[in-house]
Amino acid sequence: MVKVLHISTEYPPHRVVGSLAFQVRDLVTQLSSKHDVYLMHPANFDGSYMDGNIRVFTVSDRWFSDVVAYTHFLLVEVLSRAPYVIPRDIDLIHAHEWIAAVIAKVLSQRLKVPYIVSAYSTEPIRSGNSMSLLSLTIRDWEKYVFSSAFYVIAHNKPTYESLRNHYGINAVELRSVNDVELVYDEVSHQRDHQ
């Protein structure tokens, strides 16, 4: 049984912006039947609760008009809370989208465990390939944290193709939860042989 910390910027019912919240909940609910699943997300309160088999921790949330400033704010919030709530024997960190991947990269270095990323979209898709300063900044962050991940899991065909074409990343294309299970097994196997 792998002990996994999931990090997401959305999770129902306390932080729903779009469909990501429900996609993450569906995935972690399925994974929690075979793995020890923890999840951290922003909400309007600091606390913890159980969602089925999933131990959920929240960190303070605050609105920023600049998504890059928001990323840094969440990183500080998670890093200040994580040492008090996250078990020290986590095997793996699983980030959902790029903001969570920035946080996962830092936690991964601190805890000395690998991280993987679930990508549901990319900035080239979201921006329609616009070249604004903000879009270019997000692209740089995505490429950096996705390229540093042990694995990137693309949750749909357009994301899979964008990761390959825009970032040169050979992602795992998600067809079922079994694909995530295989990634977890591979990461565990490689950690055991280091």
Side-chain angles (χ1 to χ4, degrees):
M1 180 180 283
V2 178
K3 190 176 282 193
V4 186
L5 169 63
H6 287 260
I7 301 173
S8 179
T9 55
E10 297 182 37
Y11 196 77
H14 304 292
R15 182 71 160 64
V16 178
V17 176
S19 65
L20 177 64
F22 302 102
Q23 289 174 297
V24 171
R25 185 170 191 273
D26 183 51
L27 180 64
V28 296
T29 299
Q30 291 179 57
L31 291 169
S32 71
S33 67
K34 295 182 182 173
H35 301 285
D36 198 0
V37 175
Y38 298 80
L39 185 133
M40 189 170 269
H41 72 87
N44 61 356
F45 65 98
D46 281 342
S48 64
Y49 61 95
M50 292 298 294
D51 182 14
N53 296 328
I54 305 156
R55 168 64 69 186
V56 182
F57 303 101
T58 62
V59 296
S60 294
D61 195 15
R62 184 176 305 153
W63 170 251
F64 285 82
S65 59
D66 182 330
V67 70
V68 177
Y70 181 64
T71 302
H72 288 89
F73 168 79
L74 279 184
L75 177 60
V76 170
E77 290 297 307
V78 169
L79 291 178
S80 65
R81 185 146 162 70
Y84 304 104
V85 296
I86 301 304
R88 297 268 182 229
D89 58 345
I90 289 288
D91 297 306
L92 173 66
I93 300 171
H94 188 156
H96 298 271
E97 283 292 0
W98 75 272
I99 293 174
V102 171
I103 296 165
K105 177 157 180 60
V106 174
L107 278 177
S108 168
Q109 291 170 331
R110 291 217 175 149
L111 298 174
K112 306 222 180 315
V113 297
Y115 76 97
I116 65 172
V117 178
S118 278
Y120 301 81
S121 184
T122 64
E123 183 59 18
I125 294 171
R126 289 187 299 271
S127 70
N129 274 319
S130 96
M131 293 296 171
S132 69
L133 183 56
L134 178 59
S135 182
L136 291 171
T137 301
I138 294 170
R139 282 177 186 232
D140 285 347
W141 274 112
E142 281 185 342
K143 185 172 185 177
Y144 175 66
V145 294
F146 292 173
S147 297
S148 301
F150 205 91
Y151 280 98
V152 177
I153 301 167
H155 284 252
N156 54 64
K157 190 70 156 176
T159 300
Y160 176 80
E161 291 171 357
S162 179
L163 287 164
R164 185 184 65 235
N165 296 336
H166 295 107
Y167 300 144
I169 294 171
N170 188 20
V172 173
E173 188 175 3
L174 182 74
R175 290 175 298 278
S176 75
V177 73
N178 293 336
D179 295 321
V180 179
E181 299 269 355
L182 291 172
V183 168
Y184 285 9
D185 290 344
E186 177 65 25
V187 172
S188 293
H189 178 74
Q190 288 195 18
R191 282 196 74 204
D192 291 344
H193 290 91
Q194 288 181 345

